[in-house]
């Protein structure tokens, strides 16, 4: 119980005596959290076959009333990203989740598996706001008809600064500030069921950053 309470309280800590400002990925999970800490707090299983080598998953998780699988990815046994995968029984939640992400993040890219709609690049070359909005709607409609769409967002606090410096999506990720948060939201169909995948990452996180900003707890 003590360990679980520590995990919950960890998200409330803005700084620590050893680590710098902590970067929250999702709920109470922060960048650099040791794998051993998560393993002691949750019954995790290896799910490398569904994601990438070394990924651990928590089965009994829920989001917006839907059963979800929560996956943790690590770099040298320290947390660097989280992935939520859930079958949506109520298709209307697709848009609700999109709008929920929009409250914390700004949209920078839309993909349909083959084509890309680069928000920064297209907006810089489209001077009519209504035309720009219609272009997005047309792209989305086509993608949803093909049951395959992916949105990429970056944190609102970074969007203004990065959009001024970058001409397109690739520039933002290539020159991502160390603590910039990003999220991807993919929607597709598998065996007739709508599947949503939400990933939270920090593009600029490196091994040296994790070494210099350790999260230390008494295990």
């Amino acid at each position: 119980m003590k360990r679980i309470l520590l995990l919950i309280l960890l998200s409330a800590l803005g700084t620590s005596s050893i680590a710098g400002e902590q970067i929250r990925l999702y709920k109470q999970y922060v960048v650099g959290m040791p794998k051993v800490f998560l393993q002691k707090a949750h019954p995790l299983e290896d799910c490398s076959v569904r994601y990438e080598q070394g990924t651990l998953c928590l089965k009994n998780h829920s989001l917006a009333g839907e059963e979800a699988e929560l996956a943790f990815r690590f770099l040298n046994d320290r947390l660097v990203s989280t992935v939520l995968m859930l079958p949506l029984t109520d298709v209307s939640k697709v848009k609700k989740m999109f709008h929920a992400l929009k409250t914390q993040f700004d949209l920078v890219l839309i993909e349909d598996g083959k084509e890309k709609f680069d928000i920064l690049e297209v907006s810089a070359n489209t001077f009519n706001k209504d035309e720009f909005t219609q272009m997005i709607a047309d792209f989305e409609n086509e993608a949803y008809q093909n049951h395959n769409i992916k949105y990429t967002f970056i944190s609102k606090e970074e969007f203004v600064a990065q959009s001024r410096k970058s001409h397109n999506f690739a520039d933002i990720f290539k020159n991502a500030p160390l603590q910039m948060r990003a999220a991807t939201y993919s929607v597709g169909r598998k065996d007739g069921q709508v599947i949503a995948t939400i990933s939270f990452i920090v593009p600029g996180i490196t091994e040296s950053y994790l070494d210099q900003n350790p999260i230390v707890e008494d295990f």
Side-chain angles (χ1 to χ4, degrees), residues 23 91 216:
I23 306 169
V91 179
V216 179

Side-chain angles (χ1 to χ4, degrees), residues 112 114 140-149 188-189:
D112 71 353
K114 297 176 293 183
E140 286 183 306
N141 288 335
E142 183 71 24
Y144 275 116
Q145 286 177 19
N146 295 326
H147 309 303
N148 187 4
I149 192 164
R189 285 186 180 270

Side-chain angles (χ1 to χ4, degrees), residues 116-127 131-132 135-136 167-168:
K116 295 183 178 182
F117 189 99
D118 191 318
I119 299 292
L120 297 183
E121 189 172 36
V122 176
S123 63
N125 295 297
T126 307
F127 301 103
E131 181 185 350
F132 178 62
M135 291 170 70
I136 292 177
H167 299 293
N168 52 43

Side-chain angles (χ1 to χ4, degrees), residues 68-152:
E69 179 175 76
L70 176 58
F72 301 100
R73 289 171 169 162
F74 302 90
L75 176 61
N76 285 349
D77 293 336
R78 289 168 292 185
L79 184 65
V80 291
S81 73
T82 60
V83 182
L84 279 153
M85 181 174 285
L86 59 160
L88 294 177
T89 55
D90 183 353
V91 179
S92 68
K93 289 183 179 177
V94 169
K95 289 188 176 181
K96 288 182 180 178
M97 288 188 180
F98 172 83
H99 289 299
L101 284 166
K102 279 284 290 178
T103 63
Q104 297 183 56
F105 298 88
D106 274 304
L107 184 62
V108 290
L109 183 72
I110 313 173
E111 301 172 81
D112 71 353
K114 297 176 293 183
E115 303 294 328
K116 295 183 178 182
F117 189 99
D118 191 318
I119 299 292
L120 297 183
E121 189 172 36
V122 176
S123 63
N125 295 297
T126 307
F127 301 103
N128 185 302
K129 185 177 180 180
D130 291 337
E131 181 185 350
F132 178 62
T133 302
Q134 187 61 51
M135 291 170 70
I136 292 177
D138 291 343
F139 189 92
E140 286 183 306
N141 288 335
E142 183 71 24
Y144 275 116
Q145 286 177 19
N146 295 326
H147 309 303
N148 187 4
I149 192 164
K150 178 181 177 181
Y151 299 97
T152 300

Side-chain angles (χ1 to χ4, degrees), residues 61-72:
H61 188 74
S62 65
L63 181 67
E66 301 279 353
E67 289 295 318
E69 179 175 76
L70 176 58
F72 301 100

Side-chain angles (χ1 to χ4, degrees), residues 20-71:
E21 182 179 352
Q22 293 175 346
I23 306 169
R24 184 172 61 88
L25 290 166
Y26 167 73
K27 292 188 180 290
Q28 68 266 39
Y29 306 109
V30 299
V31 167
M33 187 176 283
K35 180 190 288 187
V36 64
F37 188 61
L38 290 167
Q39 288 175 312
K40 289 184 177 183
H42 297 307
L44 301 179
E45 64 177 46
D46 188 297
C47 50
S48 301
V49 294
R50 294 191 297 279
Y51 299 99
E52 64 183 36
Q53 190 63 35
T55 302
L56 298 178
C57 285
L58 175 63
K59 282 285 191 181
N60 298 322
H61 188 74
S62 65
L63 181 67
E66 301 279 353
E67 289 295 318
E69 179 175 76
L70 176 58

